[in-house]
Amino acid sequence: MANAASSSISQTELLAIPLHLVLPLPCSESECLGINREHILCHASSYAFLVLIANIEEYAPIVYTPTVGLVCQNYSGLFRRPRGMYFSAEDRGEMMSMVYNWPAEQVDMIVVTDGSRILGLGDLGVQGIGIAIGKLDLYVAAAGINPQRVLPVMIDVGTNNEKLLNDPLYLGLQEHRLDGEEYLAVIDEFMEAVFTRWPHVIVQFEDFQSKWAFKLLQRYRNMYRMFNDDVQGTAGVAIAGLLGAVRAQGRPMIDFPKMKIVVAGAGSAGIGVLNAARKTMARMLGDTDIAFESAGSQFWVVDANGLITEGREKIDPDALPFARKIKEANRQGLREGASLVEVVRQVKPDVLLGLSAVGGLFTKEVLEALKDSTSTRPAVFAMSNPTKNAECTPDEAFSIVGDSTIFASGSPFKDVDLGNGHIGHCNQGNNMYLFPGIGLGTLLSGSRIISDGMLQAAAECLAAYMTDKEVLEGIIFPSISSIRDITKQVAAAVIKEAIEEDLAEGYREMDARELRKLSHEDIESYVENNMWSPEYPVLVYKED
């Protein structure tokens, strides 16, 4: 692989060029074997991906969280050119023809958002397309999806952000968001259009508000090849982290159903994690109705109004399965609406899991209550993004709860020096560990849908990636620098599960029958051979 710095363009210049390709490159590789600056610029974006892949741990926070949040907040003022497709409410009835405006004959991966809940920053309207662009850059870097076969999409149905509605520079529709059947009609038309032109494309839904995230997932998941990263990807990474926390106590993953978990946050991410964790526990307990009911008793869910019990009025239907019975809560010394610190103090959980998007929610009082946990190594998962929305910092967790704490976060933090040569490891539970492998595995398997089993296989593969020595040291997520190898293994696990569930239909020359003949090692080789890599000869100046 060539070092981009050996050409006449610096790494800094390359990274300043937008990574996402929206058009075919102006000249073929065979025409770009020259050494002048103009020819190098023809492939500058591919060289930029080369730099990103080679330095993924350093540059991922620039391409994605936390930098992407700041970019989205200021996107209208930064806009220079379209870097994806925009479908608006005013395009109703025209989307089927609009999709043919995109120049790529084949698209493998679409990331779509309506901008209604960007990270923990709220409704950013059309400016949220930055999320779709960043995610697809990671698909290219981590999963080796060809950059000319990805498509960022913004569905503009208005915004309820009053600041944007009154901003003369705002690029989107300056009207309040569509709702109800009108909203669904727009999304329905979009989905029908893209799958008509590209029947084998995979669509990842990103940063839709909780109100719609679950409804759209249930509406489309058995019809199209799609998934919601906030609901399912976040859940998978959290499950992998929770299984890692079990291993960090020196226990087998099968002990996961014994974990007591307090969850702060009942939005799309929180409920997604709860549903996935409950299914994982139930499967470990025998996958029966009784097992599923038993698994539900391991969770205590706290939202902005406190502990959720069956005594709450107008309870969110998605949260209802996790509402504690009133008598059960009373026996625990708790009541409807009990505060987070009260719940932690009474439950003494193994894990305190934050998916609230409320920065600093894990106060000193809450963390001190966790010190009485019945676990030998209590875990603090401050998973909200961006960094300012993290429920606590690693310094706070280690200094208050103790050196044996297992810490994970959604955004990157530096490890903590605990003194005496000991390090408090800050594990970043980044969705980047899973969504590239889920997408790549689905693509290469040719699976008709993305099943719960495929998502579960991805999470368990990630959880098993770390060695016993590493997890006992408190390292429950691998280094981002290994992301291509992680993605390869996750994709292989997804393909294997798709085959076992008889969902795989094959990809290109590898049909379903041939897929079934492959060993696990063969599947990994198959994945690796289908990952795009930007490899170029070293370019140097030759003086006459």
Side-chain angles (χ1 to χ4, degrees):
M1 183 176 286
N3 184 338
S6 66
S7 70
S8 61
I9 298 178
S10 70
Q11 281 194 9
T12 302
E13 287 179 287
L14 285 169
L15 288 168
I17 299 169
L19 289 176
H20 181 68
L21 299 180
V22 297
L23 292 171
L25 293 171
C27 49
S28 68
E29 185 174 337
S30 62
E31 295 171 328
C32 273
L33 297 179
I35 55 176
N36 61 55
R37 186 180 186 87
E38 288 70 27
H39 278 298
I40 293 172
L41 283 171
C42 285
H43 285 284
S45 289
S46 288
Y47 273 94
F49 277 121
L50 184 153
V51 175
L52 175 62
I53 292 168
N55 303 276
I56 188 69
E57 191 166 18
E58 180 180 357
Y59 293 133
I62 297 173
V63 173
Y64 191 50
T65 182
T67 308
V68 72
L70 182 62
V71 171
C72 288
Q73 287 176 301
N74 297 279
Y75 198 81
S76 290
L78 298 171
F79 183 82
R80 296 295 181 272
R81 62 179 176 85
R83 298 175 65 186
M85 288 197 79
Y86 297 76
F87 297 85
S88 84
E90 295 184 355
D91 295 320
R92 280 174 282 188
E94 303 294 336
M95 294 183 193
M96 190 66 76
S97 59
M98 286 175 63
V99 291
Y100 289 91
N101 291 334
W102 190 252
E105 286 301 315
Q106 178 58 44
V107 170
D108 291 333
M109 183 65 57
I110 289 174
V111 175
V112 59
T113 183
D114 69 352
S116 58
R117 190 202 63 83
I118 299 300
L119 299 172
L121 302 171
D123 185 346
L124 296 184
V126 76
Q127 300 185 150
I129 195 171
I131 284 288
I133 294 168
K135 286 276 186 175
L136 286 168
D137 285 338
L138 295 181
Y139 263 114
V140 176
I145 302 293
N146 189 310
Q148 293 184 342
R149 300 178 74 156
V150 299
L151 171 56
V153 171
M154 162 56 62
I155 299 181
D156 185 5
V157 291
T159 178
N160 292 333
N161 184 325
E162 293 298 326
K163 180 180 178 182
L164 297 179
L165 288 172
N166 295 299
D167 184 352
L169 294 179
Y170 178 61
L171 297 172
L173 293 177
Q174 289 188 296
E175 56 189 51
H176 287 97
R177 286 186 172 275
L178 291 184
D179 204 355
E181 292 301 317
E182 283 189 299
Y183 176 86
L184 286 173
V186 172
I187 310 298
D188 283 349
E189 184 179 346
F190 163 76
M191 292 294 280
E192 183 180 1
V194 295
F195 279 95
T196 296
R197 184 177 181 193
W198 301 296
H200 303 296
V201 73
I202 299 161
V203 176
Q204 175 177 314
F205 277 57
E206 192 71 35
D207 285 356
F208 283 71
Q209 61 182 311
S210 300
K211 176 181 178 178
W212 289 112
F214 289 101
K215 289 180 182 178
L216 296 176
L217 178 61
Q218 296 307 317
R219 189 176 183 87
Y220 302 128
R221 67 173 308 188
N222 295 318
M223 188 187 315
Y224 299 115
R225 301 207 305 178
M226 60 80 63
F227 69 106
N228 185 302
D229 187 47
D230 303 296
V231 176
Q232 296 165 298
T234 300
V237 172
I239 296 303
L242 292 171
L243 293 173
V246 176
R247 293 181 64 199
Q249 296 178 12
R251 298 157 63 188
M253 287 194 285
I254 198 69
D255 279 356
F256 179 47
K258 300 177 183 177
M259 299 275 277
K260 294 180 295 183
I261 303 172
V262 170
V263 180
S268 59
I271 298 298
V273 170
L274 284 162
N275 285 324
R278 187 176 188 176
K279 288 176 182 176
T280 302
M281 287 183 176
R283 194 162 83 165
M284 291 179 171
L285 292 170
D287 213 10
T288 63
D289 290 341
I290 295 174
F292 189 73
E293 186 67 27
S294 174
S297 66
Q298 297 303 110
F299 304 96
W300 286 259
V301 186
V302 180
D303 66 2
N305 298 313
L307 178 67
I308 299 176
T309 74
E310 292 180 349
R312 178 171 300 190
E313 296 181 6
K314 296 181 180 179
I315 190 168
D316 185 335
D318 294 319
L320 182 58
F322 301 97
R324 305 296 298 196
K325 290 180 171 56
I326 297 174
K327 289 183 179 179
E328 189 179 59
N330 291 340
R331 282 198 302 271
Q332 196 79 42
L334 296 169
R335 69 191 189 290
E336 160 62 34
S339 69
L340 178 60
V341 67
E342 289 178 288
V343 174
V344 173
R345 188 176 291 131
Q346 296 300 322
V347 174
K348 298 177 173 49
D350 298 281
V351 181
L352 177 58
L353 176 58
L355 290 157
S356 65
V358 180
L361 180 66
F362 296 167
T363 62
K364 180 180 180 181
E365 191 178 15
V366 170
L367 293 173
E368 284 181 339
L370 187 62
K371 289 171 66 175
D372 294 328
S373 166
T374 53
S375 172
T376 56
R377 300 193 73 177
V380 177
F381 284 24
M383 303 296 283
S384 293
N385 284 315
T387 309
K388 70 182 184 67
N389 287 348
E391 285 78 8
C392 71
T393 67
D395 296 85
E396 291 166 340
F398 286 112
S399 64
I400 297 173
V401 183
D403 292 358
S404 63
T405 304
I406 304 297
F407 182 85
S409 60
S411 289
F413 284 97
K414 293 183 179 179
D415 289 344
V416 177
D417 184 355
L418 302 176
N420 299 319
H422 296 292
I423 299 294
H425 293 283
C426 301
N427 300 278
Q428 186 186 1
N430 195 322
N431 285 18
M432 181 180 173
Y433 287 123
L434 283 190
F435 71 77
I438 293 169
L440 181 61
T442 303
L443 176 70
L444 298 183
S445 71
S447 177
R448 299 185 296 276
I449 60 169
I450 300 173
S451 69
D452 286 337
M454 292 161 67
L455 297 165
Q456 184 74 31
E460 291 181 1
C461 175
L462 177 59
Y465 191 85
M466 309 304 301
T467 66
D468 289 339
K469 181 176 182 295
E470 287 171 322
V471 294
L472 290 174
E473 290 175 356
I475 304 173
I476 59 174
F477 288 116
S479 169
I480 291 290
S481 62
S482 305
I483 192 61
R484 288 203 40 126
D485 184 61
I486 296 165
T487 298
K488 178 184 72 174
Q489 295 197 29
V490 169
V494 169
I495 293 170
K496 186 176 179 181
E497 182 64 24
I499 295 170
E500 290 180 2
E501 294 185 30
D502 199 26
L503 294 171
E505 297 184 351
Y507 175 75
R508 293 182 178 173
E509 72 283 352
M510 183 69 71
D511 63 23
R513 192 182 328 179
E514 294 300 315
L515 269 177
R516 293 189 190 96
K517 295 178 183 178
L518 300 181
S519 66
H520 182 75
E521 291 72 21
D522 290 336
I523 292 175
E524 286 193 0
S525 296
Y526 166 62
V527 172
E528 189 169 10
N529 291 337
N530 280 282
M531 295 173 74
W532 176 86
S533 295
E535 297 181 2
Y536 291 89
V538 176
L539 303 179
V540 294
Y541 282 115
K542 180 180 178 181
E543 296 182 4
D544 294 329

